[in-house]
């Protein structure tokens, strides 16, 4: 079945954490090596890519990228 194949070959995406503005800034300061803004192109809608230790996340907004990176970090380190 195609559904089962897709489930096996698709990496599950962590549920974003909900962080306050202060928590986002603290998290960026403590865990992230680099935050890059990617300009939109005809093929890509743009957004932010974060490099935090061995975690790379991308999202349309900085808030979403940090919340996703924090969720991945929590998942890996629990």
């Amino acid at each position: 079945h195609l559904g089962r194949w897709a489930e096996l070959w698709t990496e599950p995406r962590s549920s974003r954490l909900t962080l306050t503005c202060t928590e986002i800034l603290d998290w960026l300061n403590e865990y992230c090596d680099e935050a890059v803004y990617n300009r939109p192109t005809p093929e890509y809608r743009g957004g932010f890519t974060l490099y935090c230790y061995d975690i790379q996340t991308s999202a349309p907004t900085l808030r979403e990228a940090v919340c996703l990176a924090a969720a991945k970090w929590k998942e890996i380190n629990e």
Side-chain angles (χ1 to χ4, degrees), residues 54-76:
D54 291 334
I55 300 170
Q56 177 183 340
T57 58
S58 296
T61 67
L62 183 58
R63 174 179 291 279
E64 289 179 74
V66 172
C67 290
L68 182 56
K72 284 184 177 182
W73 178 261
K74 182 179 177 185
E75 185 179 289
I76 290 169

Side-chain angles (χ1 to χ4, degrees), residues 4-76:
R4 181 73 178 138
W5 181 86
E7 180 183 323
L8 292 172
W9 286 94
T10 303
E11 180 181 356
R13 188 169 185 149
S14 303
S15 297
R16 286 187 318 217
L17 294 179
T18 302
L19 302 175
T20 66
C21 292
T22 302
E23 289 171 326
I24 287 171
L25 291 174
D26 290 345
W27 207 90
L28 278 169
N29 215 14
E30 187 171 342
Y31 295 103
C32 286
D33 302 316
E34 185 178 6
V36 177
Y37 175 70
N38 304 299
R39 293 186 185 274
T41 67
E43 296 83 28
Y44 179 72
R45 68 181 188 175
F48 288 86
T49 301
L50 301 181
Y51 301 92
C52 309
Y53 293 101
D54 291 334
I55 300 170
Q56 177 183 340
T57 58
S58 296
T61 67
L62 183 58
R63 174 179 291 279
E64 289 179 74
V66 172
C67 290
L68 182 56
K72 284 184 177 182
W73 178 261
K74 182 179 177 185
E75 185 179 289
I76 290 169

